[in-house]
Amino acid sequence: TKDDVIGRKRNIMYFHNENVAAFHYGPHHPMKPFRLAVTHSLILHYNLQHYFTMVEPPPATYEEIIAFHDTDYIEELMAGKWRVVPDEDAVDGTADDVPLFDGVYDYCTYYTGSTIQAAKALNCKWADIVINWSGGLHHAKKAQASGFCYVNDIVIGILELLKHNQRVLYIDIDIHHGDGVQDAFYFTSRVMTASFHHYHEKFFPGTGIVKEKGRSDGKHYSLNFPLREGITDESYAYVFKPIVRSLVKFYDPNVIVLQCGADSLGSDKLGKFNLSFNGHGECIRFVKSLNRPLMILGGGGYRLRNVARCWTNETAIIVGQDDVISDIIPEIDPYRKCFAPEHYKLRPELPHRFRDANTREFLDYLIGVAEERMRKIEH
Ligand code: V1S
Ligand code: CA
Ligand code: ZN
C-alpha cells in the first residue's frame, strides 16, 4: 500500500485478553466492555491478524497497579466497597459513573495488564507499534475512580515507558478531557500531554481549558484543545495535523501514546462531535506517518457497533490494509447482526446531529496557542 512505500515496514503487536469483555457495569450504564469482544471478532474476521503478532498478556499485578495508585484506594477497589467519606456529596453524585460491579478489580487488571505488556514490547524494541483497544481509561486518579475509569492504565503504561524513554508524547482524541493523565504528569517535562476534547462547563469532566498548561518543571508541557460541539472531519484535521506535527518536531518524543476514544465519532450516545470513521481514522494515520514508536489505546465509545467499526478500521490503517478490505462486514462474523442498521457497512456515513460551532477564527486561535507554546519549550 501507499504507506508501505513511504515508510519502512513496521513491526506491530496486538494485545488482547478476552476476559476483559465479560464484565458488566450495570444495565443502564453506557460503558459496555462487550464492545471489546465485538471489535476483536471483527478484526479477526477481516483477517487482520496476519499482519501483527497477537499476544494474550497476563493481568496486571497489585505491585504494577500501585506504581501509580494509592494502596488504600486499590484496597477499596479490591474489596468492592468505596470508603464512606463523611460530608462529601461528590461521592454520591459520581457513584453511578463508577459502580463497583462484580469483579471490577479483575476487570482493571486485564485492561491494565495489556497496556503494561504493550509498553514493555516498545521498551524492548520487539515492536514499533503496539495496540490495546481495551486500554485508554484516562480519567482515573491516583486515589479516586472517575468517569467509568478505576485504574489509569495509561499512566501506568507511560511510567513503564519512562524506564527506557526520556520523553513521551501523549495525544488524546477521546471527546472527553484526558484529565487523569494530565494530572499525573502535570509537574514533569518528560511527558507532554495533548488532549483534544469537547469543552463546556456542563460537559464531563468540566476541565481542559487552554490555561491548564502544566506547572513547575511541567510548565508548558500540558496542552488542551477545548473544541466546541459539532466539529467535522475538515475542522478537526485543520487543528490536529499542524499541532501534532509541530509537537513532534519541537518536543521530539522518543515514543507516542495515542488514546483513540471512539466517542468523538458522530452519533455517539454521549458525544457531540460529527467525526466520520474516515476523519477519526485520519488522526491515527497521521500519527503513524510521523514514524515514532507508537502505542495505540482505546477509550470511550458508546454506540457499540460504531466502536467496533472504528477500531477495526483503525487496526486496518495501522497494518496498511484499510484500502484493501471490503466495506461489507464479513458474513461469518457471529456478531454480524449488530451491524444490520447500516446495511452491514464497515464505514457507513454517520448523521450530523450538531452544527459545527467551531469557527475558522476559533480554530486558528487554538493553533496559535500551540505554536506559541512550542516556542517556549526547550529544544
Ligand atoms: N455524559 C455523560 C454521562 N452519562 C453517564 C451515565 C449515564 C447512565 C449511567 F447509568 C451511568 C452513567 N455518566 C456520564 C458522565 C461521565 C462520562 C465519562 C466518559 C468516559 C470516557 O469516555 O472519557 C473514558 C472511558 N458523568 C457525568 O456527566 C457526571 C454526572 C455528572 C451525571 C451522570 N450521573 C450518572 C453521575 C454524575
Ligand atoms: Ca480528549
Ligand atoms: Zn470519552
Side-chain angles (χ1 to χ4, degrees), residues 350-368:
L350 298 170
H352 280 213
R353 289 183 305 167
F354 299 94
R355 190 184 65 85
D356 188 356
N358 297 275
T359 58
R360 179 60 75 98
E361 294 70 47
F362 178 64
L363 299 173
D364 285 334
Y365 155 74
L366 292 178
I367 296 169

Side-chain angles (χ1 to χ4, degrees), residues 78-91:
M78 292 168 98
K81 279 196 175 73
W82 293 141
R83 189 177 20 169
V84 181
V85 184
D87 295 336
E88 211 179 298
D89 20 299
V91 173

Side-chain angles (χ1 to χ4, degrees), residues 83-110:
R83 189 177 20 169
V84 181
V85 184
D87 295 336
E88 211 179 298
D89 20 299
V91 173
D92 280 345
T94 56
D96 332 339
D97 274 356
V98 284
L100 287 168
F101 56 83
D102 275 354
V104 61
Y105 177 75
D106 293 333
Y107 165 69
C108 296
T109 65
Y110 293 127

